[in-house]
Amino acid sequence: MSAGLVAGAAVTFCVLMVALIIFQAALIAGAPLGHFAWGGQDRVLPIRKRLGSATSIGLYLIFAVLILQRAGLAEVIPWPAVVSIASWVLAGYFLLGIVLNAASRSRPERWTMAPLCVVLAGLTGLVALS
């Protein structure tokens, strides 16, 4: 697999993580976008779900570092085997996300987050294969 393809997949993944971070930050700030997340039951998230959004931001940052390192674009984690295994776990996480988001009662969540998880699973899988 070409290094350029893997690097492009990793950068695209990170751009999507930044978009999700902005989205989660908007939810934390009280933006009425809750119908796109957390099951879509609350237009403005209650405090508990806002804390979940804050946790998501931290996870997205870790995901970005893992993918960048697996693609050879960063070196933060000193254990290559951990990065390799974690990249496959992350691909599985996004595969599960496809199923969970597709099963959401919220139509906006189903039509945005499930396809996004398809893209993220593909990008993650491509990088994990490298």
Side-chain angles (χ1 to χ4, degrees):
M1 188 170 327
S2 96
L5 178 64
V6 173
V11 170
T12 302
F13 177 89
C14 288
V15 167
L16 293 172
M17 287 295 104
V18 169
L20 283 170
I21 287 168
I22 292 167
F23 170 69
Q24 294 292 351
L27 290 173
I28 292 166
L33 300 170
H35 55 291
F36 287 97
W38 304 108
Q41 297 163 340
D42 306 294
R43 203 148 173 87
V44 174
L45 297 184
I47 295 298
R48 193 176 73 170
K49 289 182 181 176
R50 290 181 193 200
L51 292 173
S53 288
T55 301
S56 293
I57 289 173
L59 289 172
Y60 296 156
L61 291 170
I62 293 167
F63 296 169
V65 168
L66 281 169
I67 292 302
L68 287 173
Q69 184 155 339
R70 181 67 181 148
L73 300 175
E75 191 158 334
V76 178
I77 302 165
W79 309 285
V82 169
V83 172
S84 179
I85 292 167
S87 65
W88 285 108
V89 169
L90 193 53
Y93 170 82
F94 287 117
L95 285 172
L96 178 62
I98 295 167
V99 174
L100 295 176
N101 284 297
S104 174
R105 292 182 191 170
S106 166
R107 186 179 195 144
E109 185 174 24
R110 279 194 314 271
W111 288 99
T112 57
M113 295 306 178
L116 178 60
C117 281
V118 169
V119 172
L120 291 170
L123 293 169
T124 306
L126 182 70
V127 174
L129 282 169
S130 67

